[in-house]
Amino acid sequence: MGASTLPGLDEPVALHVHDLRGTAVTIPSEAGCSPQPIATITGHSLKTVTVILDRYLARTRALAD
């Protein structure tokens, strides 16, 4: 995908198609969904959803605030 500028960051960040996977899982989680419905919606296994949340969720600005 190439480098993109993200809100709140001054330097470009290299994004990959796999980053969309993290976004598709973290947004419903931030909205209050538990891992089981997220797995059902995205087609991931429950284990994969948990791994994605462990990796990406702690990095979201909403949770940091």
Side-chain angles (χ1 to χ4, degrees), residues 32-52:
C33 289
S34 63
Q36 183 62 50
I38 295 170
T40 301
I41 292 165
T42 64
H44 291 96
S45 70
L46 190 54
K47 180 179 179 180
T48 301
V49 168
T50 302
V51 169
I52 293 169

Side-chain angles (χ1 to χ4, degrees):
M1 284 188 166
S4 298
T5 304
L6 298 176
L9 298 178
D10 296 328
E11 297 187 25
V13 176
L15 298 176
H16 305 278
V17 70
H18 295 289
D19 294 321
L20 294 173
R21 172 179 74 166
T23 301
V25 172
T26 56
I27 289 174
S29 179
E30 288 179 333
C33 289
S34 63
Q36 183 62 50
I38 295 170
T40 301
I41 292 165
T42 64
H44 291 96
S45 70
L46 190 54
K47 180 179 179 180
T48 301
V49 168
T50 302
V51 169
I52 293 169
L53 290 175
D54 286 346
R55 178 168 184 184
Y56 291 98
L57 199 57
R59 299 177 187 184
T60 62
R61 182 173 300 275
L63 290 177
D65 289 343

